[in-house]
Amino acid sequence: MGGYVVRRLLSVALVVFATSLLIFAIVHILPGNVAYAILGEYATPSAVATLQQRLGLDDPLWLQYWRWLHGVLRGDLGPSLVMDRPAGPLILEALGRSAILASIAFAIVAGGGIALGVHAATHQGRISDRVMTLAQFVFIAVPDFFWAILGVMAFAAGLDWLPATGYAPWGDGALAWASHLVLPVTVLSIGLLAHVSRLSRAAMLEALRSRYVLMARAKGMSERRVLWRHAAPNAMLPTITILAIDFGLLIGGVVVVETVFAYPGLGRLLVFAIEHRDLPLLQAGMLVLTTIYALANLAADIGYAVLNPRIRYGAAA
Amino acid sequence: MAEAGRSVEGGSVEGGSVEGLSVEGLSVGFAGVRGRVQALDGVDFAVPPGGTLGLVGESGSGKSTALLALLGLLGRAEVAARRMAFGGADLLTTAPALRGRQISAVFQDPASALNPALTVGLQVAEPLLVHARLPRAEAWAEAAALLAETGLPRPAALMECYPHQLSGGMKQRVAIAMALAGRPELLLLDEPTTALDVTVEAGILDLLDGLRARRGLSLLLVSHNLGIVDRLCDRVTVLYAGRVMETGPVREVLGRPRHPYSRGLLAALPRIGRRDGLAPIPGALPDMTRPDPGCNFRPRCPFAASACALPQALAPAGLDRTVRCHRAGELAHHRWPAPPPTPAAPPAGATLMATEGLARRFATMQAVDQVSLAVRRGEVLGLVGESGCGKTTLGRLMLRLAASDSGTLRFDGAMVPPAPSLAFRRRAQIVFQNPDTALNPRHTVATILRRPLDRFGLAGGNAADEIARLLALVRLPASYAGRYPHQLSGGEKQRVGIARALASRPDFIVCDEAVSALDASVQAAVLNLLAELRARLGLAMLFISHDIAVIAHLADRVAVMYGGQIMEEGPVASVLAPPHHPYTAALLSAVPEVGGRRARHVLPGDAGAVHGGRGCRFALRCPQRIGPLCTDADPPWRDAGPGHRIRCHIPIAPDRRVPR
């Protein structure tokens, strides 16, 4: 197991390195010139040239990449050119707010999705299962931003129960803090919740039809024990894989939701960086985001191994 | 054993199980797509305390349904019975309280019956923790003792293992230990050895026999295999399409069957040392959504008369026997109709396919290890061996469907290169084991048969005629061309598989377990078909099977494989008679046969253990090992008669040459 974790960690490091190359390449393909972006449209060519030289934009790409990588390895994510501040603290602050949003949403998706899936599987064909199936299809098919707009129209503009946009720090009081989170979290989690509950229902049904479940029943085990001790550990395996994939979708969703609700998180920071051609900030933000995604996958792989003895102990002895 | 003694006492004192299991008029109905399926229709059977009953019949007979009905595990099915009781308790109402305690079960295919996510220890100890409420340490100790009782080595270490770390035979022993943990009086066994090799199966049957004697267990064995029922049971009940056809002592029923269906089942069974044609039962299972008020075997019965349309009662027929057939008495002296004689095979010609030192390695396993074999024109070479011995890989190497690491392949005198020509592909074909997965479910039979015709440019302008010819060749109606695989029965699918192999008019086909997935009555028909095709078309075959009785029936010569190597090879009659290679002797002794109980050769070592490097591959399991020579030096080929050779260090004494 220890060896397995070390191997997986090494491969995560490799993936992050490869994505850093990719991010760097993509950012340098984007149109636009940082110097112009900083100095404004009417800058003289000589001022632009001076600034480009100062920022090292004239150097060969590999040297620029090396400089960036070297900085990142020492913990320096580079500057934000537009805001004229180091990118690191900026990203960290935004990341904290995004993490609140994402972790609440993910907890709802994982916990709620599995609970709803198990309920549907054990009540297959009954009213609650059928209603859920219908709702799941609606929430999977209709895109997030539709629910975002609908939510704002109904609960903010119409009923005035919730704020439409923005963020309130904890210091403003728990109620203000929570009220700003309700709509973004709901919109972020609802589609994925439908997805996860759909798939965990299928996984649970398959486990319940298996011969080892028949065996457990023949052993006289109670239905509750059959469900949670015998079926659930096997049904969770495919669900964990799905959760890891959905975590990626969740990160994508964060960018959309933060933009719609003007929530000051990492997603909105990235959109800001793109709009203002703040390439170093964009680079740093994307690197942080992909690293988080790689680590989430690592967590899923380890979780999978913990539940699946075939991976933990290798092949047949 | 103290444990065993306590169970016996407990059974007779508190359980009051003097009555044992008694089932009368058990009926089970399912809601199916085409209406209500009457899976069981008034079934009676009984197991006295300490007795063993075999419930036999082909797929669809309802034997597993009966077993699940006893456990109360049929879900939404309608279960009704005049009486279904165990030890005086009504199972219709109390089954949930009895299952896992007084009544335990062991199911087919231990690979899927054990939970892959839980340790062996937890699964065996679970009934002790939950039902007997033992503290963990005590439950663990008793579970380990149960593993030891089922003949598993190092039980303490085994407790920490997960099922995927064990072999098939070990898993089934764990499943039996798990069933014993509930301290049952009655053990229900659903095809307990069907997924296992014969030598492993023999060990499990010995174990069950021993448990029965030691613990005074009653056994209810559900099986399609008449041989193991004969080996393990006192009494047998024959089921057909949800009804009991015949019940009685096992020797009587299997020795002198009275009901036409039981007689048909036995006539269809290939047996070692019998070469006459097998008699398949014509037709298929009746429509179980509309139960026939008369005899439901009538449409398939060669003795059917007009009175068979009337309801048939289970009537006494001799001591302790009942038969559901009003003609059983008068038919006693009528013979079961003999099958049409198989045309005599033409004498085998020159060598068609020959391998020389063929080898293939997968990761750490030498699947095929320096095999040199030859098949002559028009000859059937049987290849027998247990799972993992490399027989399937060898078949694929001979068709160049898998690449060999070394060795050569000659076909019709010419070398076959690693990437063979289209001409070789046309002349050498294959029939797979599982007809359910070997036919594309989205193609019609016509499309399936047309593919090879187009590929090899054989159809000309007349593909439809050629498809009709192929269907006639495998005895299927021409109208089947428009059907999809799911509209065919198992036997029909395998006929399509054979027709597809024959489409390119090959000279050589590999049949890889081609009849293993079929019921006995259908298997007999497919075997007869293969024998006939071989005689009419002069086909050469490599017939791969784990079932030595099937090979003994069809093949001219047989090769016995172990650990990737050929151990013995020769004409069938000669290989089946002494002298034997020790492995062949063990295989033959393990085959459960109706009416014949041979002295068993118990093999030492772990199932399938192969001695690598120099020496004999079988040395680790050989009961006749003569010393370090067996593991240190490659065994020589010894001549054991005309065309018969044995690879063994043990010399063949002159008196052993004489077949008995």
Side-chain angles (χ1 to χ4, degrees):
Chain A
M1 187 76 189
Y4 174 76
V5 173
V6 169
R7 274 201 311 278
R8 293 292 301 129
L9 262 175
L10 278 176
S11 82
V12 164
L14 222 92
V15 165
V16 170
F17 171 72
T19 27
S20 78
L21 272 173
L22 206 65
I23 289 167
F24 187 82
I26 291 170
V27 164
H28 283 82
I29 289 167
L30 282 181
N33 184 312
V34 183
Y36 273 114
I38 294 172
L39 296 172
E41 268 181 77
Y42 306 108
T44 59
S46 68
V48 169
T50 318
L51 186 61
Q52 278 190 334
Q53 200 180 3
R54 187 165 67 80
L55 296 174
L57 299 178
D58 290 339
D59 295 332
L61 277 182
W62 66 266
L63 187 62
Q64 292 189 43
Y65 174 73
W66 170 247
R67 218 179 277 139
W68 180 55
L69 186 70
H70 193 230
V72 168
L73 289 178
R74 280 178 311 156
D76 174 12
L77 287 172
S80 160
L81 296 178
V82 178
M83 291 190 243
D84 202 17
R85 286 168 56 191
L90 264 178
I91 288 174
L92 202 68
E93 203 185 322
L95 180 65
R97 288 190 288 259
S98 288
I100 294 172
L101 191 60
S103 55
I104 297 176
F106 192 71
I108 291 174
V109 169
I114 290 170
L116 288 177
V118 170
H119 177 86
T122 50
H123 294 74
Q124 194 194 3
R126 306 233 208 118
I127 289 289
S128 61
D129 178 36
R130 290 179 186 204
V131 169
M132 249 193 280
T133 301
L134 184 71
Q136 283 159 346
F137 281 127
V138 171
F139 287 121
I140 290 172
V142 180
D144 292 351
F145 62 81
F146 173 80
W147 303 117
I149 294 164
L150 196 71
V152 168
M153 277 166 62
F155 296 102
L159 296 166
D160 201 18
W161 288 356
L162 297 164
T165 57
Y167 167 80
W170 185 253
D172 292 3
L175 199 69
W177 177 79
S179 69
H180 280 90
L181 282 171
V182 173
L183 280 178
V185 163
T186 309
V187 169
L188 193 52
S189 50
I190 199 143
L192 296 176
L193 181 68
H195 188 225
V196 170
S197 59
R198 190 90 209 127
L199 290 163
S200 64
R201 173 185 184 269
M204 197 66 190
L205 277 180
E206 198 192 321
L208 286 174
R209 274 194 295 261
S210 72
R211 219 172 256 272
Y212 54 80
V213 160
L214 177 68
M215 188 67 224
R217 288 188 175 135
K219 276 159 83 178
M221 296 302 138
S222 66
E223 205 47 31
R224 230 181 85 179
R225 197 176 164 89
V226 167
L227 195 62
W228 294 109
R229 199 80 184 88
H230 290 266
N234 292 288
M236 285 310 106
L237 291 178
T239 308
I240 284 183
T241 313
I242 292 305
L243 282 175
I245 294 170
D246 280 4
F247 190 76
L249 294 176
L250 187 85
I251 291 178
V254 164
V255 176
V256 174
V257 164
E258 285 182 358
T259 311
V260 173
F261 290 100
Y263 185 95
L266 187 57
R268 199 149 166 260
L269 191 68
L270 283 179
V271 173
F272 171 87
I274 293 170
E275 282 170 357
H276 294 84
R277 304 265 180 279
D278 194 341
L279 300 189
L281 180 63
L282 181 60
Q283 256 171 218
M286 280 168 71
L287 187 67
V288 168
L289 215 56
T290 48
T291 307
I292 289 171
Y293 184 51
L295 288 175
N297 269 300
L298 174 71
D301 283 354
I302 292 173
Y304 196 89
V306 167
L307 279 180
N308 190 346
R310 268 170 287 200
I311 290 190
R312 219 182 323 154
Y313 291 100
Chain B
M1 242 181 176
E3 174 55 36
R6 197 172 75 203
S7 284
V8 173
E9 270 172 34
S12 51
V13 175
E14 331 150 355
S17 65
V18 266
E19 300 167 62
L21 174 75
S22 119
V23 175
E24 288 167 27
L26 171 62
S27 292
V28 174
F30 290 106
V33 227
R34 295 187 303 115
R36 188 175 180 280
V37 177
Q38 192 68 43
L40 288 178
D41 190 3
V43 166
D44 306 335
F45 57 89
V47 188
T52 48
L53 175 72
L55 219 48
V56 303
E58 298 177 287
S59 12
S61 63
K63 52 195 192 306
S64 297
T65 306
L67 195 142
L68 291 176
L70 294 176
L71 291 167
L73 286 176
L74 278 177
R76 290 178 209 168
E78 302 159 35
V79 181
R82 273 202 313 283
R83 178 180 159 80
M84 186 162 83
F86 179 71
D90 179 12
L91 282 176
L92 283 171
T93 50
T94 60
L98 260 60
R99 67 173 179 242
R101 298 172 177 87
Q102 283 89 339
I103 303 179
S104 291
V106 175
F107 294 104
Q108 184 180 358
D109 190 15
S112 58
L114 297 183
N115 194 322
L118 305 177
T119 59
V120 163
L122 182 82
Q123 295 189 59
V124 176
E126 194 176 27
L128 299 165
L129 293 166
V130 173
H131 298 326
R133 302 195 178 283
L134 292 188
R136 203 189 126 97
E138 267 180 59
W140 241 246
E142 190 167 334
L146 285 169
L147 289 175
E149 188 182 348
T150 55
L152 286 162
R154 299 181 300 280
L158 212 59
M159 295 283 284
E160 308 300 322
C161 287
Y162 284 88
H164 75 276
Q165 296 169 297
L166 313 181
S167 69
M170 289 169 88
K171 280 185 204 146
Q172 196 58 301
R173 284 173 194 267
V174 168
I176 292 171
M178 200 155 86
L180 294 177
R183 299 167 180 167
E185 296 156 29
L186 172 66
L187 199 55
L188 309 179
L189 304 158
D190 188 0
E191 304 274 6
T193 60
T194 300
L196 307 174
D197 281 320
V198 274
T199 55
V200 178
E201 171 181 83
I204 298 283
L205 294 178
D206 285 347
L207 167 66
L208 290 170
D209 220 13
L211 285 173
R212 174 200 179 189
R214 273 205 309 280
R215 290 177 166 246
L217 279 174
S218 313
L219 305 181
L220 176 61
L221 170 68
V222 160
S223 181
H224 72 285
N225 185 332
L226 300 179
I228 76 165
V229 169
D230 188 44
R231 162 102 172 65
L232 204 59
C233 299
D234 316 323
R235 293 178 62 78
V236 61
T237 291
V238 181
L239 281 181
Y240 175 76
R243 292 186 192 160
V244 172
M245 297 287 122
E246 182 165 9
T247 292
V250 80
R251 296 275 160 80
E252 297 283 312
V253 173
L254 298 185
R256 276 176 297 133
R258 303 290 294 275
H259 194 282
Y261 176 63
S262 334
R263 292 172 66 178
L265 268 187
L266 283 151
L269 209 62
R271 300 185 199 205
I272 295 172
R274 228 188 66 179
R275 294 283 287 185
D276 47 340
L278 302 172
I281 304 174
L285 276 186
D287 179 0
M288 291 168 74
T289 58
R290 272 170 297 160
D292 194 327
C295 173
N296 60 355
F297 184 59
R298 174 166 51 118
R300 304 177 72 181
C301 182
F303 305 119
S306 58
C308 296
L310 300 171
Q312 307 285 312
L314 264 180
L319 195 63
D320 222 7
R321 285 182 78 170
T322 50
V323 175
R324 192 190 293 277
C325 176
H326 74 283
R327 301 195 66 194
E330 58 181 291
L331 292 175
H333 301 292
H334 286 60
R335 291 178 62 84
W336 182 267
T342 311
T351 299
L352 179 65
M353 172 72 90
T355 71
E356 187 66 49
L358 217 51
R360 176 65 196 259
R361 191 176 183 83
F362 294 117
T364 59
M365 189 181 61
Q366 189 68 46
V368 171
D369 192 358
Q370 303 291 325
V371 169
S372 304
L373 268 184
V375 186
R376 287 180 292 170
R377 270 181 196 284
E379 177 186 64
V380 178
L381 174 66
L383 182 60
V384 68
E386 296 178 292
S387 43
C389 76
K391 54 190 192 300
T392 290
T393 308
L394 178 58
R396 295 194 177 172
L397 294 185
M398 284 172 84
L399 294 177
R400 292 281 195 221
L401 289 175
S404 54
D405 298 333
S406 59
T408 61
L409 189 66
R410 281 180 170 277
F411 184 72
D412 205 6
M415 294 287 282
V416 183
S421 64
L422 198 61
F424 174 77
R425 289 266 177 260
R426 185 189 74 70
R427 296 181 65 189
Q429 285 286 324
I430 185 164
V431 178
F432 292 102
Q433 168 174 17
N434 196 336
D436 288 321
T437 53
L439 303 179
N440 188 330
R442 294 179 182 281
H443 287 173
T444 61
V445 169
T447 312
I448 289 166
L449 296 180
R450 203 193 177 103
R451 274 281 164 85
L453 297 176
D454 291 344
R455 176 86 179 102
F456 299 112
L458 294 166
N462 261 332
D465 290 354
E466 188 62 18
I467 288 166
R469 183 189 76 89
L470 287 167
L471 287 173
L473 206 57
V474 296
R475 306 244 177 286
L476 286 176
S479 62
Y480 273 42
R483 293 205 182 185
Y484 286 91
H486 72 267
Q487 296 169 306
L488 309 176
S489 72
E492 287 168 347
K493 277 182 222 171
Q494 198 55 295
R495 284 166 193 268
V496 172
I498 294 169
R500 176 175 63 183
L502 294 177
S504 64
R505 303 183 181 233
D507 301 311
F508 175 73
I509 56 178
V510 171
C511 292
D512 189 359
E513 300 276 12
V515 297
S516 304
L518 306 175
D519 271 318
S521 65
V522 179
Q523 170 180 295
V526 175
L527 282 175
N528 286 351
L529 174 69
L530 286 171
E532 183 199 325
L533 288 173
R534 165 270 175 106
R536 278 177 53 191
L537 306 177
L539 273 177
M541 279 186 218
L542 179 72
F543 192 88
I544 300 170
S545 180
H546 68 282
D547 186 342
I548 204 163
V550 165
I551 285 195
H553 183 77
L554 188 70
D556 305 310
R557 285 194 307 127
V558 57
V560 182
M561 200 166 180
Y562 188 91
Q565 287 190 346
I566 305 296
M567 297 286 118
E568 177 167 7
E569 185 205 342
V572 165
S574 181
V575 171
L576 295 178
H580 296 301
H581 185 280
Y583 177 59
T584 314
L587 260 189
L588 283 170
S589 79
V591 176
E593 271 197 298
V594 175
R597 298 200 177 183
R598 297 161 187 252
R600 285 271 322 289
H601 298 236
V602 178
L603 300 184
D606 295 335
V610 174
H611 174 69
R614 296 183 75 82
C616 174
R617 295 289 168 263
F618 187 58
L620 299 176
R621 306 221 62 204
C622 185
Q624 297 172 47
R625 198 163 125 187
I626 48 181
L629 182 65
C630 290
T631 48
D632 295 347
D634 288 339
W637 278 110
R638 294 182 186 277
D639 185 19
H644 182 190
R645 51 186 194 146
I646 294 175
R647 181 186 282 185
C648 187
H649 283 294
I650 305 170
I652 296 170
D655 59 318
R656 285 177 66 206
R657 277 177 191 277
V658 189
R660 275 183 294 189

